Amino acid sequence: QVQLVESGGRLVQAGDSLRLSCAASGGTFSNYAMGWFRQAPGKEREFVAAISWVGVTTYYASSVKGRFTISRDNAKNTVYLQMNSLKPEDTAVYYCAADSTRVVHITATHYDYWGQGTQVTVSS
């Protein structure tokens, strides 16, 4: 059983940068591909970014590509989401998730474990 805890979310202004972290415990972190999803009020949860188990392969939603960067440190059991040039439409609860298949997936159903989420609010 893998436990995931996100941190780093807060209120920022448009154009600012923010880095989210997701710390994993209870399993072998390098056995999992990791993903970030987000859910805005009144909207469905959507894919943001994913990274393979060794960090070689990454994939991004078109809405964040070029602004967000996903990375991982397997020695620290942590995955990160660096968010630059933030926009008000990036406002959402951000969730990290672990996928035991080790490969990048964009659909939430592939992910086995989820964190509780961290709120990111971008003011205009």
Side-chain angles (χ1 to χ4, degrees):
Q1 188 79 7
V2 175
Q3 292 82 44
L4 303 171
V5 179
E6 302 94 336
S7 61
R10 61 183 177 90
L11 173 64
V12 296
Q13 292 188 338
D16 284 353
S17 297
L18 196 61
R19 189 176 80 159
L20 304 182
S21 300
C22 172
S25 62
T28 303
F29 182 66
S30 59
N31 283 346
Y32 297 88
M34 299 298 295
W36 285 96
F37 290 75
R38 67 186 182 186
Q39 187 167 18
K43 295 187 177 181
E44 294 187 353
R45 189 172 299 189
E46 65 173 358
F47 170 78
V48 175
I51 187 166
S52 61
W53 65 294
V54 291
V56 172
T57 303
T58 58
Y59 193 77
Y60 298 91
S62 58
S63 58
V64 306
K65 193 171 185 179
R67 298 188 298 123
F68 290 11
T69 302
I70 188 171
S71 62
R72 66 189 296 160
D73 185 338
N74 285 348
K76 295 183 178 180
N77 292 347
T78 302
V79 62
Y80 304 97
L81 185 67
Q82 177 67 44
M83 304 185 294
N84 299 329
S85 303
L86 282 161
K87 305 175 181 180
E89 50 263 45
D90 294 319
T91 295
V93 177
Y94 284 71
Y95 300 89
C96 72
D99 179 353
S100 61
T101 68
R102 300 190 179 186
V103 298
V104 168
H105 288 110
I106 66 171
T107 53
T109 54
H110 281 100
Y111 291 82
D112 306 285
Y113 303 102
W114 293 81
Q116 83 290 345
T118 186
Q119 176 71 48
V120 173
T121 303
V122 184
S123 64
S124 57

